[in-house]
Amino acid sequence: MEQLRRNVVVEKTIKSVQDLYDMLDTDFRSAKQFWEPFYEDRNRPIPFFPNKPDENLVAHVNEGVLSGGKALELGCGPGRNALYLTRQGYQVDAYDLSETAIAWAKERAAEEQLDVHFECRSVFELSPEQEYDLVYDSGCLHHLLPHQRIPYIEMIHNALRPGGYFGMTCFAPGFGDIGGPEIVMNDWQVYQEKSMRGGLAFTEEKLRYMLEDGFECVEFRAMKSLEQHEPYFGVPFLWATLWRKKNS
């Protein structure tokens, strides 16, 4: 009886920050529920399905800014950027929530005989400590709920070695007619509407404000728009950014 009483008291009691995060999560569909079926049809005309790396990532490698070491990719999908980094000499760990996407990425790696550590795991299960020279996020951040950004950014900062780089692409506003969000939602609005409307757009000012404590900005620009026949991925509704970890 005492244990039953305790269970009733403890259930849905907020005692920690994680309890608060868990409560905020409950009003939204889980990310895995969305992404698992998203990758099932490989023939869908999704711009980032083809095995082509982001044009900004290629540019940083060609310029010598990113020059090898150990890399972590978050929300890797079918592996196009992880595979590219491996070809450039990086040792790569790549994670995604979708088992279907990870299976596809492993197939691609096997076809190219590349050694990449692909694994189906949530980014919130990761806790690396100064292990990586590069952390890369191609479209993961803009699908996170505002409260999830707090442990996400903290994890990335902890994952990087001193002076390591964080590369990231995310939605810019004003592209509602071609697939991106039209406006920047106020973070409070997300919880009031109980919706991210398919993904959150960010102004440059907002992104700099979110990241300025732990990172210095190396590059901030719009991603170049590339045609489907070109060897790299580029769409105009994404920001292409690169940050360097600040050393405390």
Side-chain angles (χ1 to χ4, degrees), residues 2 15 21 23 59 69 71 83 95 103 109 115 148-149 154 159 176 185 204 214 244:
E2 175 60 26
K15 185 178 180 180
Y21 291 167
M23 180 196 72
L83 294 168
Y95 299 93
D115 184 12
Q148 294 173 331
R149 296 196 300 251
E154 183 178 291
M185 293 181 70
E204 179 175 350
R244 184 185 292 112

Side-chain angles (χ1 to χ4, degrees), residues 23-28 145-147 183-197 200:
M23 180 196 72
L24 293 172
D25 286 342
T26 58
D27 283 329
F28 299 86
L145 291 163
H147 68 276
I183 64 170
V184 176
M185 293 181 70
N186 179 297
D187 284 347
W188 288 27
Q189 194 177 356
V190 173
Y191 300 100
Q192 290 163 354
E193 296 186 10
K194 295 181 171 51
S195 172
M196 291 195 291
R197 302 183 187 175
L200 300 179

Side-chain angles (χ1 to χ4, degrees), residues 95-114:
Y95 299 93
D96 198 280
L97 272 178
S98 168
E99 295 178 6
T100 305
I102 289 296
W104 190 1
K106 288 181 177 180
E107 287 179 29
R108 285 176 165 176
E111 289 169 1
E112 296 188 45
Q113 297 184 321
L114 294 174

